[in-house]
Amino acid sequence: MSGGWAGSTRRAELPPNWYSQVRPFILDRDEHRCRWRENGTVCGRWANQCDHIGDRDNHRPENLQALCEHHHAIKSSREGSEARWRETARRKPERHPGLI
């Protein structure tokens, strides 16, 4: 796999019925329309992606939404960036030279 999926185990973490039942149910429920909200407006473009709103291990319908490919990429990129910053080793803050 290329891109963000390279080396990922995410597909293995999804329930066995993800592609046969869960994902199709969410896309049908949301009428294959992107639920991305920005400035109080819903995108509404054709959605072919199923996204976890909150906890990525919670596969209940209340935690899932349909997104278009464009907005799912934006959301995933933001989440990945936030995770990287949390994991980045930061240098310990140095004391101010005048306080030494």
Side-chain angles (χ1 to χ4, degrees):
M1 287 183 247
S2 65
W5 283 102
S8 174
T9 60
R10 182 64 181 146
R11 288 183 196 250
E13 296 169 7
L14 296 172
N17 66 342
W18 178 259
Y19 291 102
S20 62
Q21 293 176 330
V22 177
R23 184 176 176 275
F25 173 79
I26 298 304
L27 293 173
D28 287 344
R29 181 198 68 191
D30 292 349
E31 300 174 344
H32 285 266
R33 296 290 167 208
C34 180
R35 297 299 179 204
W36 180 270
R37 288 188 178 273
E38 199 160 357
N39 301 324
T41 306
V42 176
C43 170
R45 288 193 297 186
W46 179 255
N48 62 352
Q49 310 275 317
C50 187
D51 170 64
H52 289 80
I53 297 167
D55 180 7
R56 62 184 260 152
D57 295 320
N58 176 355
H59 308 298
R60 292 186 328 214
E62 307 84 50
N63 188 50
L64 299 170
Q65 66 182 345
L67 290 180
C68 65
E69 188 173 353
H70 172 73
H71 284 124
H72 197 214
I74 289 173
K75 184 172 184 263
S76 296
S77 177
R78 286 180 185 169
E79 289 171 348
S81 185
E82 288 170 6
R84 268 192 302 284
W85 277 106
R86 281 193 304 269
E87 298 299 322
T88 301
R90 294 197 177 90
R91 191 169 98 184
K92 242 182 165 176
E94 297 177 19
R95 293 189 63 196
H96 189 280
L99 300 175
I100 295 178

